[in-house]
Amino acid sequence: MALLVIHGAQLKCSMGSAPGTLSVLPDDNTNCEDQYAATIQAYQPNTNISPFGLCRSLANPQVAAATAAANGTLTPQPCEPVTTSPWTPGSNSVKIGKQAALTPDSKCNCQYGGVIEITSPKSQKTGVA
């Protein structure tokens, strides 16, 4: 059984240079280990998903422009996540409000080609299927 993902969980983007953090708002007032529990709907950039240091995706217009200006040498730029759809897959059996609970195997895609993963759910004892 996997652990429930809660506020403060650690994230990683395949195109970022640094870890990020998941922020969970008190929308459903569901607490787990003294933090708010996350659902698959916690995907809003800068609200739920923090930046990941520097972005190295050429699909990011800022990276593409800086790389072109450097004669083709990849030039990472500050990350600004562009996530437009919920995490997948989420829990099949646990709901928070009417949404699937977020599980450590869930992923979220950035429009610039990065895949965002959960590296630490932050909960230490609350399981979810």
Side-chain angles (χ1 to χ4, degrees):
M1 181 174 289
L3 293 171
L4 184 64
V5 177
I6 62 176
H7 176 81
Q10 293 297 297
L11 308 176
K12 169 181 92 167
C13 177
S14 61
M15 291 293 174
S17 66
T21 305
L22 181 71
S23 294
V24 181
L25 304 177
D27 297 339
D28 294 313
N29 292 321
T30 301
N31 282 322
C32 169
E33 301 176 29
D34 295 323
Q35 294 292 335
Y36 293 114
T39 72
I40 60 169
Q41 295 298 322
Y43 69 90
Q44 299 302 317
N46 298 311
T47 298
N48 302 119
I49 298 175
S50 70
F52 298 94
L54 296 175
C55 179
R56 61 181 179 269
S57 171
L58 289 172
N60 179 332
Q62 291 178 328
V63 175
T67 298
N71 296 318
T73 300
L74 181 62
T75 308
Q77 295 296 299
C79 169
E80 286 297 326
V82 182
T83 50
T84 59
S85 58
W87 293 84
T88 57
S91 174
N92 291 326
S93 60
V94 176
K95 304 281 187 222
I96 298 172
K98 295 182 180 183
Q99 300 298 323
L102 191 59
T103 58
D105 64 337
S106 300
K107 295 184 180 11
C108 191
N109 294 315
C110 177
Q111 293 297 304
Y112 296 146
V115 177
I116 300 167
E117 300 179 68
I118 299 159
T119 57
S120 172
K122 192 165 182 206
S123 69
Q124 298 192 7
K125 54 189 169 197
T126 306
V128 61

